[in-house]
Amino acid sequence: GENVEQHPSTLSVQEGDSAVIKCTYSDSASNYFPWYKQELGKRPQLIIDIRSNVGEKKDQRIAVTLNKTAKHFSLHITETQPEDSAVYFCAASRGAGSYQLTFGKGTKLSVIP
Amino acid sequence: GAVVSQHPSWVICKSGTSVKIECRSLDFQATTMFWYRQFPKQSLMLMATSNEGSKATYEQGVEKDKFLINHASLTLSTLTVTSAHPEDSSFYICSATGLAGVGSYEQYFGPGTRLTVT
């Protein structure tokens, strides 16, 4: 089955700096890669996603890059703010056309004011 | 749009009893709903996938007789934890997909239900 590895597990950055979280996946047929932000005790919220026919997608301070050949994708947050502090999960669809997701183990991001 | 609710938000029950958790898509018809389990400081683990009117598909290692899922309509799925034990204590989250029709992968998550079995 699909396996998603996520690194680092924790990340601390100074406010205003950039943060990068990386994920690798095992199933070359995966074609959908979302990123979720989860605050303590709350629901995961989709912050950005990318499909396999696109190499990069950006939404204001957040960007995702995808390297299909290497089977890895990354989340980039620029100009970090304290409210960006949360746990971030990457996920990959289980093969092409599957609505099921396999999640990475999460990265706890702390933005230090 | 794309709001998913869950009820209850938290529940405490005694060992051996059953608990039902409801997941509703409030403003769209969900073609597929998912149930996840999340232990403290851990990731989301998919338990089962359900489509309206069909039997749920359970992940390997998830007991279908213990975690009963009913997806009776396009807006409601229920998870019943039968004969709950303390090790079933966890955060249960549902999600739904189907807002933009077939081919839309985005999952919208409910707020979760924290189950504590004493």
Side-chain angles (χ1 to χ4, degrees), chain B:
Chain B
V3 178
V4 176
S5 70
Q6 259 181 265
H7 179 80
S9 55
W10 59 270
V11 57
I12 301 172
C13 71
K14 292 191 175 182
S15 187
T17 62
S18 295
V19 174
K20 180 185 282 189
I21 302 170
E22 291 187 350
C23 176
R24 293 181 185 272
S25 56
L26 298 185
D27 52 2
F28 68 102
Q29 293 187 325
T31 54
T32 305
M33 286 185 168
F34 306 89
W35 286 96
Y36 294 86
R37 185 172 179 176
Q38 186 176 34
F39 290 110
K41 298 185 179 181
Q42 293 191 23
S43 188
L44 291 88
M45 299 299 296
L46 180 64
M47 298 176 66
T49 303
S50 73
N51 293 293
E52 183 260 342
S54 304
K55 287 187 177 181
T57 303
Y58 290 81
E59 294 298 296
Q60 192 172 8
V62 177
E63 300 174 58
K64 60 180 69 177
D65 293 331
K66 181 171 184 62
F67 298 100
L68 301 179
I69 292 171
N70 186 346
H71 193 159
S73 75
L74 283 171
T75 59
L76 173 64
S77 177
T78 61
L79 167 68
T80 301
V81 183
T82 63
S83 187
H85 292 290
E87 56 266 30
D88 298 324
S89 299
S90 188
F91 193 49
Y92 292 87
I93 311 177
C94 71
S95 71
T97 191
L99 176 64
V102 174
S104 173
Y105 293 94
E106 184 170 344
Q107 291 189 22
Y108 301 92
F109 283 85
T113 296
R114 185 160 302 284
L115 170 64
T116 302
V117 185
T118 60

Side-chain angles (χ1 to χ4, degrees), chain A residues 63-83:
Chain A
V64 57
T65 58
L66 171 66
N67 184 325
K68 285 177 56 181
T69 302
K71 289 190 283 188
H72 69 70
F73 56 113
S74 301
L75 176 71
H76 304 254
I77 305 174
T78 59
E79 299 172 24
T80 54
Q81 301 166 3
E83 50 266 36

Side-chain angles (χ1 to χ4, degrees), chain A residues 9 16 30 45 47-48 54 59 65 69 74 83 85 90 92-94 96 98 104 111:
Chain A
S9 56
S30 296
Q45 292 196 312
I47 56 172
I48 197 165
V54 176
D59 182 4
T65 58
T69 302
S74 301
E83 50 266 36
S85 297
C90 64
S93 63
R94 294 184 181 180
S98 172
V111 180

